[in-house]
Amino acid sequence: MNKAVNPVAKLSGEILPPPDKSISHRSAMFAAISSEDSIIQNYSPAADPQSTLECLKQLGVEVQKENSTVKISGVGRDGFQNPDEPLDCGNSGTTMRLLSGIVAGAGVECSMIGDESLSSRTMKRVIAPLQKMGCKIDGRDGVYAPLNIHSHQGVKAIRFPLPIASAQLKSCVLLAGLFGEEPTAVIENVLSRDHTERLLELDSEPYGSGKIIRSSRDHVIPSQNYSVPGDFSAAAFWLVAGAIHENAEIHLKGTGVNPSRDAVYYILEEMGASFKKTNNKLEGREPVSDLYVESSELKPLHLDPALIPNCIDELPILMVAMCFAEGKSVITGAEELRHKETDRLAAMAEILNLAGADIELKKDGIVIEGKRDFKPKAATYPTYHDHRMAMAAAVLATKGTDSSTITHADCTAISYPNFWNHLQTLSDSVI
Ligand code: S3P
């Protein structure tokens, strides 16, 4: 499905961002390995977290859904059944990388498959440490899905300094560590999102410039009874849309503001964005706030590479913001973007070039010469079936000279099924 996006004269209103994708996945997986029942409210209806629920059902976990409430009867660490069919993770890297830690740790006989995009993303980063832990896991060419997992005796504890700042890799090793008699220790020098540590209530302590986190069979897995916060990464599209439009005022209710995820809020503030944060509270083990953004005059910024793991999913929309900040903005150290649902550095460069932005693509980043009065050219934007490319291109197109087309626009359903409705709700069309 292609979608026409018209330039808009005004963006205003109040929306509830979709339930957080990262927290939804984890709430369901952790509820499954706990020995109690959990009731998770506001579970994400998006395709990726739904893939996680389907995989858990195949593993013999009872999952009852009523609207956005999901009841999961925990089977404990040793209660999984070997599934008859491969576990289909769809487009979801989080499902494959986190769940592989659980099924490999538990020694479930199974295979894990994904769509074309997921099957081309490296799984070597999880296969290697899991093999070190004594798990019987391998992939196609030792690197890609399908992953094949076999039963084995016990899990060897490892001490694992993370070779890349990745919450998915950190979580995979910690989850497998839950099946070992001795504690597995993961050392993180550059901090990535910490939902796994929070929601599992794992022990962690400062270590060097980062922290050390431990998991073992002794750890009691808490039940997961809370309402999933709104997705900060989805809200970020509106934070930028509000900031770059001359006539904008957007309220984002109940948005997750986990400090390991919210760097782009402060980056945009430093660029001059006018934001407010109110109604700060805790929802379960995660902080939540209402966010407000209005029209702003943005300044350029050289992004500190140390912040990248904290805003990895927001970098595409941050690039859009940089196009409207007068002067030179620079992103470096973002090579990891090339390993997402698509090569997001190359894809964003193509989108921004089509819009007529002044950019230079680098191996690990991008240089953007922004203009306050930048008028993106009307274009047919490719998305490579990547939800974040589609949403970034749509926000860009709302500032366009004429109607643009977003290809494969239905891919927003991966994380934000209501995106197009929300755009409609907030927009006052020019044409
Ligand atoms: C995620 C972690 C990030 C992020 C992804 C979700 C998670 O990936 O890009 O969308 O839920 O743990 P990496 O940790 O591999 O960078």
Side-chain angles (χ1 to χ4, degrees), residues 18 67 80 94 132 161 172 175 196 212 224-225 230 239 243 265 277 319 324 332 344-346 354 378 381 401:
N67 303 318
F80 292 121
T94 311
K132 256 192 169 170
C172 172
L175 287 166
T196 296
I212 184 162
Q224 307 288 313
N225 295 296
L239 291 178
Y265 183 93
K277 199 189 265 189
M319 292 178 203
F324 297 88
T332 51
R344 286 184 175 162
L345 269 180
L354 281 167
Y381 290 111
T401 50

Side-chain angles (χ1 to χ4, degrees), residues 80-331:
F80 292 121
Q81 292 167 11
N82 295 334
D84 300 328
E85 301 287 332
L87 302 172
D88 189 352
C89 305
N91 189 245
S92 175
T94 311
T95 307
M96 189 168 277
R97 295 203 176 113
L98 269 62
L99 198 57
S100 64
I102 297 177
V103 290
V108 176
E109 290 274 343
C110 63
S111 63
M112 302 182 89
I113 57 171
D115 69 6
E116 203 182 315
S117 150
L118 187 55
S119 305
S120 67
R121 295 175 68 186
T122 180
M123 293 298 142
K124 182 80 194 164
R125 55 181 63 179
V126 294
I127 294 172
L130 290 173
Q131 286 178 340
K132 256 192 169 170
M133 298 172 91
C135 300
K136 296 265 177 288
I137 178 168
D138 213 343
R140 177 174 49 91
D141 300 331
V143 179
Y144 302 107
L147 302 180
N148 287 309
I149 294 143
H150 300 288
S151 68
H152 57 87
Q153 284 302 307
V155 163
K156 264 188 270 164
I158 58 168
R159 187 177 171 83
F160 188 63
L162 282 166
I164 31 173
S166 161
Q168 293 181 346
L169 174 55
K170 166 176 71 176
S171 303
C172 172
V173 175
L174 288 168
L175 287 166
L178 288 172
F179 295 83
E181 302 302 332
E182 299 296 322
T184 279
V186 174
I187 297 160
E188 193 177 41
N189 287 320
V190 185
L191 301 182
S192 63
R193 67 192 68 190
D194 68 0
H195 305 303
T196 296
E197 300 91 297
R198 276 175 191 258
L199 300 179
L200 282 175
E201 297 176 345
L202 290 174
D203 292 339
S204 80
E205 61 195 64
Y207 189 87
S209 59
K211 64 177 179 175
I212 184 162
I213 315 136
R214 294 189 181 83
S215 67
S216 74
R217 194 171 262 284
D218 282 348
H219 184 73
V220 177
I221 296 167
S223 57
Q224 307 288 313
N225 295 296
Y226 44 78
S227 177
V228 175
D231 196 323
F232 178 81
S233 302
F237 291 97
W238 305 121
L239 291 178
V240 170
I244 63 177
H245 270 274
E246 288 94 70
N247 198 350
E249 212 180 313
I250 305 175
H251 291 258
L252 300 156
K253 306 279 281 181
T255 309
V257 286
N258 180 313
S260 63
R261 277 279 290 285
D262 66 351
V264 95
Y265 183 93
Y266 297 100
I267 293 164
L268 288 166
E269 260 194 342
E270 200 183 327
M271 290 174 72
S274 181
F275 291 157
K276 261 185 241 143
K277 199 189 265 189
T278 56
N279 278 336
N280 308 321
K281 57 177 184 183
L282 262 189
E283 184 58 71
R285 300 164 195 122
E286 294 279 346
V288 172
S289 297
D290 292 344
L291 305 180
Y292 168 84
V293 53
E294 61 187 10
S295 316
S296 312
E297 291 212 339
L298 297 182
K299 299 183 296 251
L301 178 117
H302 287 224
L303 182 65
D304 176 358
L307 290 176
I308 283 179
N310 190 312
C311 60
I312 188 76
D313 291 340
E314 294 72 65
L315 289 176
I317 193 63
L318 180 61
M319 292 178 203
V320 171
M322 286 171 165
C323 292
F324 297 88
E326 189 75 39
K328 186 195 271 190
S329 290
V330 181
I331 298 177

